[in-house]
PDB file of all heavy atoms in Angstrom:
ATOM      1  N   THR R  25      95.781  78.296  70.065  1.00 80.00           N
ATOM      2  CA  THR R  25      96.976  79.165  69.487  1.00 80.00           C
ATOM      3  C   THR R  25      96.842  80.568  69.811  1.00 80.00           C
ATOM      4  O   THR R  25      97.794  81.140  70.318  1.00 80.00           O
ATOM      5  CB  THR R  25      97.062  78.893  67.937  1.00 80.00           C
ATOM      6  OG1 THR R  25      97.085  77.567  67.733  1.00 80.00           O
ATOM      7  CG2 THR R  25      98.220  79.662  67.434  1.00 80.00           C
ATOM      8  N   SER R  26      95.723  81.232  69.663  1.00 83.00           N
ATOM      9  CA  SER R  26      95.586  82.618  69.918  1.00 83.00           C
ATOM     10  C   SER R  26      95.755  82.955  71.449  1.00 83.00           C
ATOM     11  O   SER R  26      96.386  83.866  71.902  1.00 83.00           O
ATOM     12  CB  SER R  26      94.274  83.178  69.266  1.00 83.00           C
ATOM     13  OG  SER R  26      93.184  82.677  69.949  1.00 83.00           O
ATOM     14  N   LEU R  27      95.157  81.966  72.344  1.00 84.00           N
ATOM     15  CA  LEU R  27      95.377  82.110  73.742  1.00 84.00           C
ATOM     16  C   LEU R  27      96.804  81.906  74.095  1.00 84.00           C
ATOM     17  O   LEU R  27      97.300  82.834  74.888  1.00 84.00           O
ATOM     18  CB  LEU R  27      94.499  80.975  74.358  1.00 84.00           C
ATOM     19  CG  LEU R  27      94.616  81.056  75.907  1.00 84.00           C
ATOM     20  CD1 LEU R  27      94.092  82.232  76.591  1.00 84.00           C
ATOM     21  CD2 LEU R  27      93.847  79.750  76.519  1.00 84.00           C
ATOM     22  N   LEU R  28      97.470  81.067  73.489  1.00 85.00           N
ATOM     23  CA  LEU R  28      98.878  80.894  73.771  1.00 85.00           C
ATOM     24  C   LEU R  28      99.738  82.099  73.271  1.00 85.00           C
ATOM     25  O   LEU R  28     100.593  82.557  74.201  1.00 85.00           O
ATOM     26  CB  LEU R  28      99.383  79.591  73.071  1.00 85.00           C
ATOM     27  CG  LEU R  28     100.839  79.289  73.243  1.00 85.00           C
ATOM     28  CD1 LEU R  28     101.221  78.941  74.803  1.00 85.00           C
ATOM     29  CD2 LEU R  28     101.300  78.091  72.411  1.00 85.00           C
ATOM     30  N   ALA R  29      99.438  82.689  72.196  1.00 86.00           N
ATOM     31  CA  ALA R  29     100.159  83.821  71.672  1.00 86.00           C
ATOM     32  C   ALA R  29      99.896  84.975  72.597  1.00 86.00           C
ATOM     33  O   ALA R  29     100.812  85.688  73.026  1.00 86.00           O
ATOM     34  CB  ALA R  29      99.755  84.104  70.317  1.00 86.00           C
ATOM     35  N   ASP R  30      98.614  85.088  73.179  1.00 89.00           N
ATOM     36  CA  ASP R  30      98.230  86.203  74.108  1.00 89.00           C
ATOM     37  C   ASP R  30      99.008  86.065  75.403  1.00 89.00           C
ATOM     38  O   ASP R  30      99.526  86.854  75.971  1.00 89.00           O
ATOM     39  CB  ASP R  30      96.805  86.324  74.369  1.00 89.00           C
ATOM     40  CG  ASP R  30      95.928  86.806  73.220  1.00 89.00           C
ATOM     41  OD1 ASP R  30      96.601  87.405  72.321  1.00 89.00           O
ATOM     42  OD2 ASP R  30      94.788  86.633  73.170  1.00 89.00           O
ATOM     43  N   GLN R  31      99.081  84.815  75.890  1.00 89.00           N
ATOM     44  CA  GLN R  31      99.759  84.478  77.201  1.00 89.00           C
ATOM     45  C   GLN R  31     101.219  84.881  77.055  1.00 89.00           C
ATOM     46  O   GLN R  31     101.915  85.335  78.009  1.00 89.00           O
ATOM     47  CB  GLN R  31      99.501  83.143  77.623  1.00 89.00           C
ATOM     48  CG  GLN R  31      98.106  82.774  78.038  1.00 89.00           C
ATOM     49  CD  GLN R  31      97.720  83.415  79.321  1.00 89.00           C
ATOM     50  OE1 GLN R  31      98.506  83.166  80.337  1.00 89.00           O
ATOM     51  NE2 GLN R  31      96.793  84.106  79.474  1.00 89.00           N
ATOM     52  N   LEU R  32     101.879  84.427  75.903  1.00 89.00           N
ATOM     53  CA  LEU R  32     103.310  84.720  75.642  1.00 89.00           C
ATOM     54  C   LEU R  32     103.526  86.180  75.590  1.00 89.00           C
ATOM     55  O   LEU R  32     104.515  86.665  76.252  1.00 89.00           O
ATOM     56  CB  LEU R  32     103.610  84.056  74.404  1.00 89.00           C
ATOM     57  CG  LEU R  32     105.152  83.822  74.107  1.00 89.00           C
ATOM     58  CD1 LEU R  32     105.756  83.075  75.273  1.00 89.00           C
ATOM     59  CD2 LEU R  32     105.315  82.976  72.891  1.00 89.00           C
ATOM     60  N   ALA R  33     102.598  86.939  74.913  1.00 91.00           N
ATOM     61  CA  ALA R  33     102.867  88.524  74.956  1.00 91.00           C
ATOM     62  C   ALA R  33     102.724  89.112  76.407  1.00 91.00           C
ATOM     63  O   ALA R  33     103.452  90.030  76.673  1.00 91.00           O
ATOM     64  CB  ALA R  33     101.721  89.038  73.977  1.00 91.00           C
ATOM     65  N   ASP R  34     101.754  88.509  77.130  1.00 92.00           N
ATOM     66  CA  ASP R  34     101.654  88.998  78.425  1.00 92.00           C
ATOM     67  C   ASP R  34     102.801  88.741  79.321  1.00 92.00           C
ATOM     68  O   ASP R  34     103.252  89.545  80.193  1.00 92.00           O
ATOM     69  CB  ASP R  34     100.319  88.298  79.084  1.00 92.00           C
ATOM     70  CG  ASP R  34      99.030  88.851  78.501  1.00 92.00           C
ATOM     71  OD1 ASP R  34      99.098  89.871  77.792  1.00 92.00           O
ATOM     72  OD2 ASP R  34      98.019  88.239  78.859  1.00 92.00           O
ATOM     73  N   GLU R  35     103.414  87.574  79.189  1.00 91.00           N
ATOM     74  CA  GLU R  35     104.541  87.275  79.959  1.00 91.00           C
ATOM     75  C   GLU R  35     105.813  88.013  79.545  1.00 91.00           C
ATOM     76  O   GLU R  35     106.614  88.428  80.445  1.00 91.00           O
ATOM     77  CB  GLU R  35     104.979  85.667  79.983  1.00 91.00           C
ATOM     78  CG  GLU R  35     104.018  84.676  80.655  1.00 91.00           C
ATOM     79  CD  GLU R  35     104.050  85.101  82.173  1.00 91.00           C
ATOM     80  OE1 GLU R  35     105.121  85.134  82.700  1.00 91.00           O
ATOM     81  OE2 GLU R  35     102.958  84.928  82.826  1.00 91.00           O
ATOM     82  N   ARG R  36     105.917  88.228  78.253  1.00 90.00           N
ATOM     83  CA  ARG R  36     106.947  89.060  77.827  1.00 90.00           C
ATOM     84  C   ARG R  36     106.780  90.601  78.479  1.00 90.00           C
ATOM     85  O   ARG R  36     107.868  91.225  78.806  1.00 90.00           O
ATOM     86  CB  ARG R  36     107.193  89.209  76.274  1.00 90.00           C
ATOM     87  CG  ARG R  36     107.527  87.838  75.745  1.00 90.00           C
ATOM     88  CD  ARG R  36     107.578  87.824  74.206  1.00 90.00           C
ATOM     89  NE  ARG R  36     108.182  86.723  73.799  1.00 90.00           N
ATOM     90  CZ  ARG R  36     107.795  86.083  72.709  1.00 90.00           C
ATOM     91  NH1 ARG R  36     106.798  86.446  72.016  1.00 90.00           N
ATOM     92  NH2 ARG R  36     108.415  84.947  72.390  1.00 90.00           N
ATOM     93  N   ALA R  37     105.655  91.018  78.376  1.00 93.00           N
ATOM     94  CA  ALA R  37     105.404  92.393  78.951  1.00 93.00           C
ATOM     95  C   ALA R  37     105.666  92.424  80.487  1.00 93.00           C
ATOM     96  O   ALA R  37     106.255  93.373  81.059  1.00 93.00           O
ATOM     97  CB  ALA R  37     103.922  92.756  78.758  1.00 93.00           C
TER      98      ALA R  37
END
Side-chain angles (χ1 to χ4, degrees):
T25 301
S26 64
L27 175 64
L28 180 63
D30 288 346
Q31 292 288 305
L32 198 51
D34 289 346
E35 285 297 321
R36 287 180 176 141

